[in-house]
């Protein structure tokens, strides 16, 4: 049986890991000591529209890793990525495959520098949040995972990874163009983040005010132009569909970084928006709206870092 290591047990890692464990896969979570204590005391709790379930997960901390795993799902955010890569070194062997769940594409080079040829590309979709008491709440439709070799080949290890992940309660697809899929998800996240964080409202809030739809369309034009310049253009139908999503009146949607602002948590501005702005500059593209959102979120992160800590 494929040995699977889930690095992180937050909303995304906890959800996918719980589904895999529930499907009788050999799943272990690599977590920090504090999270390990929470999970040992309360279990891994998942609440969906269908109800709540509780799992007793198999856990390890970094000092307890002593052998390679076959498949590693890297579900941490960009901030703790370097620390996570350091921690998981004992779990990486010559045949280990790493599937990172991060947004954007910069992390591929970071991981590849330490673990050459081990990385697959991936696009993850799930509407999940970690509640203050450590539980995971899933509010959206069925989750999905798209994976692929960065060069588009159909390899044995890709097929083995897909087989190990399939049939666990979420959709699994193998892609011949995973980098394009990653870019298109990046466009979606960057667009919704720029719109909601600059305007300080949901997609529907912005669409409901004068000039709101035009503002959202201008943001999408910037992000899509960067993807196009990078060699991953949005097909016309996909662009029109995104345009409709970004201007939908009454839409309650807001991305995770908007919620981070509301909850006074640090955001992934450097990995998601600043990285896209750098890519735009490399192609001599002007992105004033993305640049403004970068400044806005950097100021927010600074405020969070400087805020007094509870005694």
């Amino acid at each position: 049986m494929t040995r699977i290591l889930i690095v992180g047990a937050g909303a995304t890692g906890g959800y996918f890991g719980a589904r895999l464990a529930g499907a009788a896969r050999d799943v272990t979570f690599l977590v920090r000591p504090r999270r390990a204590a929470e999970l040992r005391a309360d279990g891994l709790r998942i609440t969906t529209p269908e109800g709540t379930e509780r799992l007793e997960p198999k856990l390890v901390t970094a000092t307890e890793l002593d052998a390679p795993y076959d498949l590693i799902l890297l579900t941490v955010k960009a901030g703790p990525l370097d620390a996570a890569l350091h921690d998981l070194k004992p779990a990486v062997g010559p045949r280990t495959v790493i599937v990172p769940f991060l947004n954007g594409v910069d992390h591929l080079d970071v991981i590849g520098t330490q673990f050459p040829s081990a990385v697959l590309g991936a696009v993850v979709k799930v509407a999940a949040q970690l509640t203050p008491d450590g539980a995971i709440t899933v509010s959206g439709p069925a989750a999905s995972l798209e994976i692929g070799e960065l060069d588009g080949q159909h390899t044995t290890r890709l097929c083995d990874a897909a087989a190990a992940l399939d049939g666990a309660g979420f959709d699994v697809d193998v892609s011949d163009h995973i980098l394009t899929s990653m870019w298109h998800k990046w466009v979606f996240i960057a667009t919704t983040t720029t719109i909601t964080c600059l305007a300080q409202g949901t997609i529907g809030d912005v669409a409901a005010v004068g000039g709101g739809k035009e503002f959202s369309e201008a943001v999408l034009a910037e992000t899509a132009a960067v993807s196009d310049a990078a060699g991953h253009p949005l097909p016309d139908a996909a662009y029109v569909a995104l345009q409709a999503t970004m201007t939908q009146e009454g839409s309650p949607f807001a991305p995770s970084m908007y919620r981070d602002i509301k909850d006074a948590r640090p955001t992934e501005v450097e990995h998601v928006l600043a990285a896209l702005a750098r890519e735009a500059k490399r192609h001599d593209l002007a992105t004033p709206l993305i640049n403004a959102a970068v400044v806005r979120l950097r100021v927010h992160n600074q405020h969070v870092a400087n805020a007094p800590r509870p005694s």
Side-chain angles (χ1 to χ4, degrees):
M1 180 180 291
T2 302
R3 298 181 71 229
I4 303 173
L5 182 69
I6 313 287
V7 183
T12 303
Y15 173 81
F16 280 91
R19 287 288 171 264
L20 289 164
R25 311 299 158 82
D26 184 357
V27 174
T28 302
F29 290 89
L30 172 61
V31 291
R32 297 291 186 183
R34 181 177 177 180
R35 182 61 170 153
E38 289 178 351
L39 293 170
R40 288 184 177 121
D42 301 324
L44 181 59
R45 292 161 291 147
I46 311 287
T47 298
T48 68
E50 288 73 41
T52 300
E53 60 186 276
R54 184 179 184 276
L55 171 74
E56 297 288 349
K58 184 162 58 172
L59 307 171
V60 293
T61 59
T63 57
E64 297 168 327
L65 285 174
D66 58 4
Y69 285 75
D70 302 304
L71 180 61
I72 296 176
L73 304 186
L74 184 56
T75 72
V76 299
K77 290 190 175 184
L81 176 60
D82 288 338
L85 293 176
H86 177 269
D87 288 347
L88 65 80
K89 282 182 179 179
V92 180
R95 295 183 178 84
T96 300
V97 173
I98 301 174
V99 180
F101 281 19
L102 290 81
N103 294 316
V105 299
D106 282 5
H107 61 276
L108 297 175
D109 289 335
V110 176
I111 300 167
T113 297
Q114 296 197 39
F115 305 109
S117 304
V119 186
L120 297 180
V123 171
V124 179
K125 297 179 181 178
V126 62
Q129 296 183 58
L130 191 66
T131 62
D133 66 350
I136 296 167
T137 300
V138 182
S139 57
S144 66
L145 174 60
E146 182 181 351
I147 60 174
E149 294 283 1
L150 300 179
D151 61 5
Q153 294 188 44
H154 267 258
T155 59
T156 299
R157 70 172 190 171
L158 174 61
C159 295
D160 290 345
L165 297 167
D166 198 18
F170 52 86
D171 294 333
V172 177
D173 293 310
V174 172
S175 173
D176 295 334
H177 308 284
I178 194 63
L179 272 175
T180 294
S181 295
M182 292 172 68
W183 262 96
H184 291 177
K185 183 186 178 185
W186 195 4
V187 166
F188 176 84
I189 292 172
T191 303
T192 55
T193 297
T194 298
I195 292 168
T196 59
C197 292
L198 282 183
Q200 286 297 280
T202 66
I203 291 295
D205 292 336
V206 178
V209 301
K213 290 183 179 180
E214 291 80 3
F215 163 69
S216 296
E217 289 172 349
V219 174
L220 175 59
E222 285 189 7
T223 59
V226 183
S227 186
D228 192 351
H232 304 282
L234 283 164
D236 290 344
Y239 189 96
V240 170
L242 266 183
Q243 195 172 45
T245 298
M246 301 304 166
T247 58
Q248 182 181 353
E249 292 187 23
S251 171
F253 181 79
S256 61
M257 280 200 276
Y258 176 80
R259 297 192 298 271
D260 289 338
I261 287 180
K262 293 299 182 184
D263 296 336
R265 295 190 300 259
T267 70
E268 290 189 292
V269 58
E270 301 301 329
H271 190 70
V272 175
L273 291 186
L276 192 65
R278 288 193 299 272
E279 184 71 16
K281 187 174 182 180
R282 193 167 72 85
H283 294 287
D284 294 322
L285 292 174
T287 53
L289 296 173
I290 297 172
N291 296 347
V294 170
V295 174
R296 168 71 182 92
L297 291 172
R298 281 175 173 166
V299 170
H300 165 80
N301 282 4
Q302 188 176 61
H303 287 168
V304 172
N306 295 337
R309 297 178 181 274
S311 56

XYZ file of all heavy atoms in Angstrom, residues 220 235-245:
86
model
N -9.397 41.832 -13.790
C -9.278 40.596 -14.560
C -8.430 40.811 -15.806
O -7.618 39.944 -16.173
C -10.666 40.083 -14.951
C -10.693 38.845 -15.858
C -9.978 37.667 -15.207
C -12.140 38.474 -16.204
N -8.550 30.701 -22.591
C -9.428 30.601 -23.765
C -10.565 31.617 -23.656
O -10.956 32.014 -22.552
C -9.963 29.156 -23.681
C -8.963 28.430 -22.837
C -8.435 29.430 -21.862
N -11.098 32.033 -24.804
C -12.142 33.062 -24.805
C -13.315 32.689 -23.907
O -13.825 33.528 -23.145
C -12.639 33.298 -26.237
C -11.596 33.985 -27.115
O -10.627 34.538 -26.548
O -11.746 33.952 -28.346
N -13.757 31.446 -23.991
C -14.907 31.024 -23.182
C -14.594 31.095 -21.692
O -15.448 31.491 -20.885
C -15.327 29.607 -23.567
N -13.381 30.727 -21.315
C -12.987 30.775 -19.903
C -12.910 32.225 -19.422
O -13.310 32.534 -18.288
C -11.646 30.083 -19.711
N -12.429 33.107 -20.284
C -12.345 34.522 -19.911
C -13.745 35.094 -19.692
O -13.991 35.807 -18.705
C -11.614 35.312 -20.988
C -11.295 36.737 -20.593
C -10.053 37.069 -20.067
C -12.242 37.758 -20.722
C -9.755 38.380 -19.691
C -11.953 39.062 -20.350
C -10.708 39.360 -19.827
O -10.425 40.654 -19.441
N -14.651 34.802 -20.596
C -16.025 35.305 -20.470
C -16.686 34.758 -19.201
O -17.383 35.492 -18.485
C -16.847 34.929 -21.716
C -18.329 35.223 -21.500
C -16.329 35.683 -22.937
N -16.435 33.480 -18.901
C -17.009 32.890 -17.692
C -16.443 33.549 -16.441
O -17.184 33.837 -15.485
C -16.741 31.389 -17.673
N -15.136 33.809 -16.437
C -14.524 34.495 -15.298
C -15.058 35.911 -15.152
O -15.321 36.383 -14.042
C -12.997 34.526 -15.459
C -12.186 33.420 -14.798
C -10.697 33.676 -15.017
C -12.486 33.302 -13.325
N -15.237 36.577 -16.262
C -15.760 37.937 -16.239
C -17.155 37.952 -15.607
O -17.471 38.825 -14.792
C -15.812 38.480 -17.661
C -15.993 39.982 -17.769
C -15.828 40.437 -19.213
O -16.374 39.816 -20.141
N -15.085 41.502 -19.424
N -17.961 36.961 -15.941
C -19.301 36.870 -15.347
C -19.223 36.597 -13.855
O -19.980 37.179 -13.055
C -20.103 35.773 -16.049
N -18.294 35.748 -13.449
C -18.129 35.436 -12.032
C -17.686 36.657 -11.244
O -18.178 36.916 -10.140
C -17.100 34.307 -11.863
O -17.574 33.126 -12.517
C -16.861 34.001 -10.384
